[in-house]
Amino acid sequence: MDARAAVDLNLTTWDERAVVHAASPDYGFEVFICDQEHLSDVVSFDRPLLGDIAGQRGIHLQCHLGTDTLSLARLGAHMTGVDFSPNALEQARTLAARADADIDYHQVDVSDGAAVLAAVGAGRYDLVYTGIGALCWLPRITDWAQLVADLLAPGGRLLVRDGHPALNALDQDRTDGELVLSYPWFEREEPTVFDEPGTYVATEHVFTHTRSAEWNHGLGELVTAVLAAGLQVTGLTEHRSIPWQAMAHMVEVAGGEWALPGDAADRVPLSFTLQAVKPA
């Protein structure tokens, strides 16, 4: 399967999931609407590294339903959201309107950097934010890193927290607690195709589109791509938790995060945060 076919396959999958996700209490739309100070667990986790973003121009790549985008707006940033799924953006716009938030959303595929720049403009942003469960849908991490650099204004910065490539390479379907590398660590031209009937929120919906295509990107590949795009890395942290139950034997910890139990928590990182700046 080539990259274009894979992206098209993923679009049908995410379009179907968007409506189901929005209806789930796991995304907490009603909480966001009723409580004007409520933030997503993801942005709450990132907040110490985000610092003060009030007044900054921010863009959230692969924003899905916009709960994190809205949370960044509530921290005072002037936010733009980008996603390739029209159904996801319909839900994101509805949430923003009901929460009385002024967020600019654009339907565009992040793997097509030229289209993103044409839609939102180059060199405009103080913050490029992207996160949990995003990078695995992109065919080439070098293209993504160059897009980030092109979006940032001089002095602007990147913050990305995502699933660790070590987690992505594990067989996550095992129920015996063993940590077994079963999938590629390094980026490959061909994606890995999965066929999974469900999704990561509780639902009784029976999905029609169950196949998806993913690419892993090694941490070294990611850092090298960011450096090659002319950015300066300012921080790289590996975390023992991730905000979904990736494996059956994980345990829930504070802040909506999940971790491996006991001594296993120290065996493999589950997520990472990378920060970088564009030289002024």
Side-chain angles (χ1 to χ4, degrees):
M1 182 182 297
D2 65 20
R4 185 67 262 165
V7 171
D8 290 343
L9 175 69
N10 290 336
L11 177 56
T12 62
T13 298
W14 282 102
D15 256 352
E16 183 176 9
R17 277 157 176 72
V19 178
V20 175
H21 288 178
S24 168
D26 293 337
Y27 269 92
F29 271 30
E30 293 304 318
V31 180
F32 277 101
I33 293 163
C34 294
D35 182 356
Q36 291 292 312
E37 296 184 358
H38 178 71
L39 303 177
S40 68
D41 287 340
V42 170
V43 170
S44 296
F45 186 99
D46 294 337
R47 193 171 182 180
L49 294 178
L50 278 168
D52 183 6
I53 61 172
Q56 293 186 5
R57 297 161 298 176
I59 184 166
H60 182 186
L61 303 181
Q62 297 167 272
C63 64
H64 193 39
L65 304 183
T67 52
D68 297 334
T69 325
L70 173 58
S71 299
L72 295 168
R74 286 182 169 176
L75 293 178
H78 305 291
M79 290 304 301
T80 294
V82 170
D83 200 89
F84 72 161
S85 166
N87 287 352
L89 289 181
E90 180 180 0
Q91 299 298 327
R93 292 185 179 108
T94 298
L95 174 62
R98 294 186 66 193
D100 196 26
D102 183 14
I103 300 173
D104 186 24
Y105 284 111
H106 296 268
Q107 182 192 336
V108 64
D109 177 9
V110 170
S111 65
D112 185 349
V116 175
L117 295 172
V120 304
R124 296 181 53 213
Y125 299 96
D126 305 304
L127 172 69
V128 171
Y129 178 91
T130 192
I132 292 299
L135 299 184
C136 66
W137 307 109
L138 301 178
R140 289 173 294 275
I141 202 65
T142 53
D143 292 349
W144 170 86
Q146 187 59 58
L147 171 62
V148 169
D150 291 339
L151 288 167
L152 285 172
R157 65 191 178 112
L158 162 71
L159 189 145
V160 52
R161 182 188 181 220
D162 210 337
H164 200 285
L167 173 64
N168 296 339
L170 289 175
D171 181 353
Q172 298 179 22
D173 293 328
R174 296 184 72 99
T175 59
D176 57 7
E178 294 296 319
L179 302 176
V180 179
L181 292 170
S182 299
Y183 297 102
W185 176 288
F186 299 105
E187 180 184 302
R188 300 194 305 181
E189 184 174 349
E190 285 283 325
T192 301
V193 178
F194 297 94
D195 194 340
E196 299 175 329
T199 186
Y200 53 81
V201 302
T203 179
E204 296 181 359
H205 179 84
V206 178
F207 289 97
T208 300
H209 304 288
T210 59
R211 297 173 70 239
S212 61
E214 300 182 25
W215 293 265
N216 205 5
H217 312 285
L219 201 57
E221 292 175 328
L222 173 61
V223 171
T224 299
V226 167
L227 293 171
L231 303 181
Q232 297 175 346
V233 172
T234 58
L236 177 60
T237 305
E238 294 173 302
H239 308 287
R240 292 174 174 81
S241 67
I242 196 162
W244 73 84
Q245 189 177 13
M247 305 180 76
H249 62 294
M250 284 182 171
V251 295
E252 191 169 9
V253 294
E257 296 281 306
W258 293 79
L260 292 168
D263 292 342
D266 292 330
R267 294 183 188 176
V268 61
L270 300 181
S271 62
F272 70 91
T273 299
L274 174 68
Q275 298 179 82
V277 298
K278 184 173 183 175

